[in-house]
Amino acid sequence: MSSGDSSDIANSTTASTATFLTALVFNAIVFGAELALFTLLRPYFKAIYEPHYNDIIKANGMDAYFFVRFLRMMTKILLPIWIISWAVLLPITSVNTQVGDNKGLDKLVFGNVAPDQTVRYAAHIILVWFFTAWIFYNIKVEMANFIIKRQQHLINPVHSKSVQANTLLVTGIPAKYLTKEALATLFGELPGGVKRVFINRDLKELPDIYERRLAACNKLEGAETKLLSIASKLDKDNSSEEAAGAIPRDKRPTHKLGFLGLFGEKVDTIDWARTEIRETTRLLDEGRAKIEDLSDPTYPPLNSAFIMFHNQLAAHLGKQVLLHHEPYRMTGRHIEISPEDVIWSNLGMNPYEKKVRIVISYAATAALIIFWAIPVSFVGIVSNVYTLCTTASWLAWICTLPKVVLGIIAGILPPVALAVLMMLLPIVLRLLAKFEGIPQHSGLELSLMTRYFIFQVVHSFLIVTLSAGIVASLNGLINNPTSIPTLLAQNLPTSSTFFLTYMILQGLSGTAGGFLQIVALVIYYVKLFILGSTPRSVWGIKYVARNVTWGTTFPGISLLVVIALGYMIIAPIINGLACATFFAFYMLYKYLFLWQYQQPTDTGGLFFPKAIQHIFVGLYVQQVCLCALFFLVRDENAKAACVPEGALMVVLIVFTAFYHMLINNSYHPLISALPLSLVDKMVAAQTESDDDLPRRSETNHSQTKLRPSHGSGDSVEMADRRSEKSQEQGDGQSYSSSRKGQAKELDFLYAEPMAERQKKEAEYGFAHPAASRPQRIVWLPLAQGSAGLLSKSEAKECHEAGVTVSLVDAEMNEKGKVDISGPPPDLVREE
């Protein structure tokens, strides 16, 4: 569910029964058409639809597994509620009872019980208690299962031996302990002792220099590939020098050094990039030498460090033990953190500064939620430009504009502006989360999940519900103010009709569109045609899987939960639609996580307990609304008729709050850290021997598997090309064995063994990339014919300029098209 969907809610009014039926028919047609198209296209476009995985947890981790399980849980919850509510509540609110001129769907809502038949509301109060108890039971079962599954995941030998499982990040460390020896001594009391300590430093200009070098590598790859493409198209069968000479100097890749490459000095891109890489490497080496010199104060330590233990238990105890005797000292502790997940810029924050930032961050979030109506209202005003220019005399000049311009202003600009606003919202909320000092990218998503959910509930549910009910009652409220309670009780439930159409939209068109992935299909081939110019870009387009951002995906589903629970008793017709919608989403995301998506990081399922909190929000919304509606019910004598039911709802609210606290108190301590009772099942971290070093492939799912992200057909094709290359070298003879007499650094078709790459990656550990990582290998294609000689010549010139370069597993045909038969030569992956 996209963020733009909420804009549809926030700018809609109560739909009629005719609108509902129209939406049902239209979305059913779209659903059928998209599924049919998906069925037809899937066998022919395996690059999008079939990168098959056999297990959600193995392919995408615990976050994806629990997301799918959450969808299944909601389907399980709503199925009996659907059957019982339709069998009991629909007849009670529609048979032999009528309020006003209600017809169609409005006869099936809470407010359609006649004033002389208010005894029927007993069914509503009985069922809300029964349904709440059923939801409580499922929450208890699922939370118990979550704890067991998460603990099994954490102590699994594959995970428990990883760097992620055995490392503790500590922030707010006093200066006294900012040495490796002091920290090793302090944490050495924990079981197994300390393996390594990484003290974070204020690297000042080094990260920017590192990014400059990375940008120069990208620039060089693009320019060299373009040069080889030009040479290939010239189709000259000459020596390398002649091939290079066949390309006029004015046709070599160039760019300008000024703003956005539009201004400034014009330079030869290849020469400039080589010089830039050499210079940035020199600067980085000088800076790293100063870091190694402990007496050099150029790069002072920050107040944080990564402590890597020999034993997983030590990391979990380190998170729970009291580390320092002064306030706010060494209180920021994070476990289950991987090097790829670290936000390096947030590791040196003062503890008091962080507290202030948290307050500012949430205050800004609250202000954003409250005042978000201003830009949205402005967009709505612009959409009514015709009325605006006739009503406001000072804007009369707008009406004199050409009709085409007016049509663009009124019909195109508002939806585009609204879409941009809804797209910017998660970005702004994520920046606010980063501002408060969260040190993990996955932590940003967890924070965004809460913030975005609050926004969705306020703007996409509560405001729409209240405004629709008030609008429906407006004439009666003006003409007879004393009838306010009765009118609201009758008309508030009628706002449910819009949410019925919204649920249909998501359950039919939304899920079918998710299967079809027509936008992804088009973008894939457009990107491959336009952007697939270098081996690395081809790898990224064809073999790096798509993923979802949990911070916006989960709130979209949680909003449906709140809508379903909020109207579960008020408009029971929604229960069947919601059950079908959640089942459709369950099938959709199960397919996507098995066949298409691959998440880059994993929290071990920490989004799931947050989603459980969202269920309680839905229950509170439902119970408060029902409580108010019961107290607003009037009999034929205009007297309160459902006071006992209202009182029982108050009791239910209290009971729900108590159960909510009970669940949190029971399971919250078990969510993040492992208990001592599992010590006999924990596996000690691997020793420091070369063979036992933790592998990055165990902690990073998305970048380490040698398989395509989009198609099994591509994987077969890649395997075939690699096999052909091996045969060209002779039976069983590898590139390296065929070049034993040639230095590895000059053998541009030599790929470093994966074991060596994994060993080096493990040695880097939690050192900042700018302080540890070497230059990323410049990956160039080996062209055919005389251009192939040019490929080797350019690679040699790069090497002589101090640039690490490789031609392995990448080739260019005579038309200048790049293809690959393996991953980048610097990628750490499973074999």
Side-chain angles (χ1 to χ4, degrees):
M1 210 170 85
S2 65
S3 60
D5 293 332
S6 61
S7 64
D8 298 332
I9 299 178
N11 293 276
S12 301
T13 57
T14 304
S16 64
T17 302
T19 303
F20 170 79
L21 294 175
T22 302
L24 179 61
V25 173
F26 174 78
N27 286 286
I29 293 173
V30 172
F31 176 80
E34 290 186 329
L35 277 188
L37 195 57
F38 163 74
T39 305
L40 292 173
L41 293 178
R42 188 182 180 198
Y44 301 101
F45 295 94
K46 294 184 178 182
I48 290 295
Y49 298 118
E50 291 191 10
H52 51 84
Y53 311 126
N54 57 9
D55 185 88
I56 290 180
I57 294 179
K58 290 181 180 178
N60 284 283
M62 300 296 286
D63 289 334
Y65 168 78
F66 279 111
F67 177 72
V68 173
R69 189 176 180 95
F70 181 77
L71 294 170
R72 191 185 74 171
M73 179 187 73
M74 290 310 304
T75 304
K76 177 184 174 183
I77 287 175
L78 289 169
L79 183 59
I81 291 176
W82 168 20
I83 297 171
I84 295 173
S85 64
W86 280 26
V88 177
L89 294 182
L90 293 188
I92 283 178
T93 57
S94 61
V95 178
N96 297 325
T97 180
Q98 179 74 32
V99 173
D101 58 352
N102 284 353
K103 55 185 178 180
L105 291 176
D106 291 342
K107 289 176 63 67
L108 304 176
V109 299
F110 180 95
N112 195 53
V113 176
D116 59 344
Q117 300 184 40
T118 54
V119 67
R120 295 190 179 201
Y121 283 119
H124 294 78
I125 192 64
I126 292 172
L127 287 187
V128 72
W129 272 83
F130 174 74
F131 292 161
T132 301
W134 168 243
I135 294 171
F136 285 174
Y137 168 77
N138 279 277
I139 289 175
K140 171 69 168 59
V141 169
E142 290 298 326
M143 282 301 298
N145 174 77
F146 165 76
I147 295 299
I148 293 173
K149 286 283 187 182
R150 176 169 168 80
Q151 290 175 347
Q152 288 175 343
H153 162 73
L154 293 178
I155 65 177
N156 182 287
V158 174
H159 177 80
S160 64
K161 295 176 183 178
S162 67
V163 172
Q164 178 176 343
N166 293 278
T167 303
L168 172 71
L169 168 63
V170 182
T171 61
I173 302 175
K176 174 184 175 181
Y177 292 98
L178 282 176
T179 64
K180 293 184 179 181
E181 294 75 16
L183 289 173
T185 301
L186 177 64
F187 288 96
E189 301 297 326
L190 296 175
V194 175
K195 183 176 182 179
R196 298 177 70 183
V197 175
F198 298 89
I199 296 178
N200 300 303
R201 293 182 175 274
D202 181 5
L203 298 179
K204 299 177 181 178
E205 77 285 352
L206 292 187
D208 291 335
I209 296 174
Y210 181 80
E211 292 300 323
R212 277 176 52 195
R213 186 172 70 177
L214 195 60
C217 289
N218 289 330
K219 203 84 170 176
L220 183 57
E221 286 182 347
E224 291 281 18
T225 305
K226 184 177 180 180
L227 181 70
L228 295 173
S229 177
I230 295 173
S232 297
K233 292 175 182 177
L234 289 176
D235 196 26
K236 301 286 186 180
D237 188 17
N238 299 315
S239 66
S240 60
E241 291 79 12
E242 292 171 332
I247 302 175
R249 189 73 184 178
D250 60 352
K251 288 188 177 181
R252 285 174 61 88
T254 60
H255 71 283
K256 294 182 179 180
L257 299 179
F259 178 70
L260 296 178
L262 301 175
F263 309 97
E265 179 187 358
K266 189 175 184 179
V267 296
D268 183 286
T269 301
I270 294 175
D271 294 341
W272 175 87
R274 290 171 180 170
T275 303
E276 178 77 354
I277 293 172
R278 183 173 62 248
E279 177 63 17
T280 52
T281 299
R282 182 186 65 80
L283 294 173
L284 287 173
D285 289 342
E286 291 177 357
R288 292 170 183 179
K290 294 178 180 178
I291 294 174
E292 293 298 323
D293 184 358
L294 299 181
S295 62
D296 194 313
T298 305
Y299 303 108
L302 298 173
N303 63 354
S304 64
F306 293 95
I307 317 297
M308 189 183 299
F309 297 94
H310 287 103
N311 195 310
Q312 182 186 23
L313 175 63
H316 286 262
L317 290 177
K319 175 178 173 59
Q320 299 174 79
V321 73
L322 190 61
L323 295 177
H324 203 271
H325 58 277
E326 295 181 7
Y328 291 138
R329 294 293 185 268
M330 306 176 76
T331 54
R333 286 161 289 175
H334 307 267
I335 56 175
E336 291 296 323
I337 184 169
S338 63
E340 297 84 4
D341 196 32
V342 176
I343 302 177
W344 300 101
S345 59
N346 278 356
L347 295 182
M349 203 169 290
N350 179 282
Y352 293 95
E353 176 191 358
K354 187 172 182 177
K355 295 294 182 182
V356 173
R357 281 174 172 258
I358 290 174
V359 173
I360 295 174
S361 174
Y362 275 96
T365 300
L368 187 64
I369 292 173
I370 294 171
F371 296 107
W372 188 255
I374 294 176
V376 173
S377 299
F378 177 76
V379 170
I381 292 172
V382 173
S383 67
N384 292 316
V385 65
Y386 294 102
T387 304
L388 194 64
C389 66
T390 55
T391 304
S393 57
W394 59 280
L395 292 176
W397 61 272
I398 296 179
C399 291
T400 62
L401 295 174
K403 290 185 178 181
V404 175
V405 176
L406 283 175
I408 293 175
I409 294 175
I412 298 179
L413 288 183
V416 170
L418 194 58
V420 170
L421 283 174
M422 298 309 299
M423 179 182 67
L424 290 176
L425 178 64
I427 297 174
V428 174
L429 292 177
R430 192 178 280 109
L431 288 174
L432 289 175
K434 185 177 181 180
F435 172 79
E436 73 177 56
I438 296 174
Q440 296 170 266
H441 292 287
S442 56
L444 292 187
E445 293 303 306
L446 286 165
S447 179
L448 175 62
M449 179 179 175
T450 299
R451 299 166 195 258
Y452 195 53
F453 172 72
I454 296 172
F455 177 89
Q456 292 269 49
V457 170
V458 172
H459 282 272
S460 301
F461 178 70
L462 295 180
I463 291 179
V464 173
T465 299
L466 295 175
S467 61
I470 292 173
V471 168
S473 312
L474 196 56
N475 289 332
L477 294 176
I478 295 174
N479 297 327
N480 187 12
T482 59
S483 65
I484 289 178
T486 303
L487 289 172
L488 286 178
Q490 292 174 356
N491 290 300
L492 214 64
T494 61
S495 62
S496 65
T497 311
F498 168 73
F499 290 110
L500 297 179
T501 62
Y502 181 71
M503 195 70 72
I504 289 174
L505 172 67
Q506 293 301 318
L508 294 178
S509 296
T511 54
F515 278 109
L516 182 58
Q517 297 283 330
I518 189 64
V519 175
L521 177 63
V522 173
I523 290 177
Y524 171 78
Y525 286 100
V526 169
K527 287 172 67 176
L528 197 60
F529 179 75
I530 297 177
L531 302 178
S533 57
T534 68
R536 199 175 297 274
S537 64
V538 172
W539 167 262
I541 294 170
K542 294 180 69 174
Y543 300 103
V544 174
R546 290 175 290 134
N547 57 69
V548 298
T549 53
W550 295 121
T552 53
T553 301
F554 240 126
I557 296 298
S558 298
L559 176 64
L560 295 179
V561 173
V562 173
I563 292 173
L565 296 182
Y567 283 99
M568 185 174 68
I569 301 295
I570 295 174
I573 193 71
I574 203 171
N575 295 329
L577 300 177
C579 183
T581 295
F582 281 110
F583 179 73
F585 273 117
Y586 167 70
M587 298 302 294
L588 168 65
Y589 280 103
K590 186 175 182 179
Y591 163 78
L592 291 177
F593 286 121
L594 283 173
W595 291 85
Q596 294 189 27
Y597 289 163
Q598 205 172 23
Q599 296 302 112
T601 58
D602 186 64
T603 68
L606 292 181
F607 294 92
F608 183 81
K610 277 185 172 286
I612 294 296
Q613 304 301 312
H614 297 174
I615 295 179
F616 279 103
V617 172
L619 288 174
Y620 290 133
V621 168
Q622 172 211 76
Q623 292 165 10
V624 169
C625 288
L626 271 177
C627 182
L629 290 174
F630 277 130
F631 282 125
L632 290 173
V633 171
R634 297 294 183 267
D635 59 18
E636 64 272 23
N637 299 318
K639 294 183 179 180
C642 291
V643 174
E645 287 89 343
L648 285 173
M649 287 306 305
V650 173
V651 174
L652 184 59
I653 292 172
V654 174
F655 183 68
T656 300
F658 171 76
Y659 189 79
H660 189 186
M661 290 187 293
L662 182 64
I663 288 291
N664 288 344
N665 291 336
S666 299
Y667 293 108
H668 181 74
L670 299 171
I671 287 176
S672 57
L674 289 170
L676 277 175
S677 58
L678 295 177
V679 66
D680 58 322
K681 298 181 180 180
M682 295 182 190
V683 180
Q686 296 169 320
T687 64
E688 294 186 57
S689 64
D690 291 346
D691 293 336
D692 290 336
L693 281 170
R695 298 183 177 185
R696 180 185 176 196
S697 61
E698 293 165 349
T699 62
N700 190 329
H701 297 282
S702 71
Q703 300 177 12
T704 60
K705 300 189 182 299
L706 181 58
R707 66 186 179 203
S709 66
H710 301 299
S712 56
D714 284 333
S715 64
V716 173
E717 182 182 351
M718 176 180 285
D720 290 343
R721 289 200 297 270
R722 294 178 69 90
S723 177
E724 290 171 3
K725 280 193 172 185
S726 297
Q727 292 174 5
E728 289 173 2
Q729 297 297 327
D731 293 339
Q733 189 177 28
S734 67
Y735 282 117
S736 57
S737 63
S738 67
R739 294 173 169 80
K740 290 182 179 179
Q742 187 174 2
K744 291 180 180 179
E745 61 269 16
L746 293 179
D747 184 0
F748 304 117
L749 294 176
Y750 168 82
E752 185 178 38
M754 189 53 59
E756 290 296 319
R757 299 190 215 176
Q758 291 170 337
K759 179 180 178 181
K760 289 180 180 180
E761 188 69 21
E763 288 174 352
Y764 297 142
F766 284 88
H768 193 292
S772 59
R773 268 59 170 183
Q775 175 230 309
R776 192 187 74 186
I777 297 175
V778 173
W779 192 21
L780 305 180
L782 178 62
Q784 297 179 357
S786 61
L789 299 176
L790 179 60
S791 293
K792 297 177 182 178
S793 173
E794 288 296 311
K796 184 177 180 181
E797 290 181 15
C798 285
H799 174 77
E800 292 172 350
V803 178
T804 307
V805 65
S806 176
L807 300 173
V808 68
D809 290 335
E811 57 187 25
M812 177 182 288
N813 62 20
E814 64 279 359
K815 296 181 180 180
K817 180 177 174 60
V818 175
D819 207 352
I820 59 175
S821 56
D826 49 12
L827 181 69
V828 181
R829 59 176 175 83
E830 294 177 354
E831 290 194 303

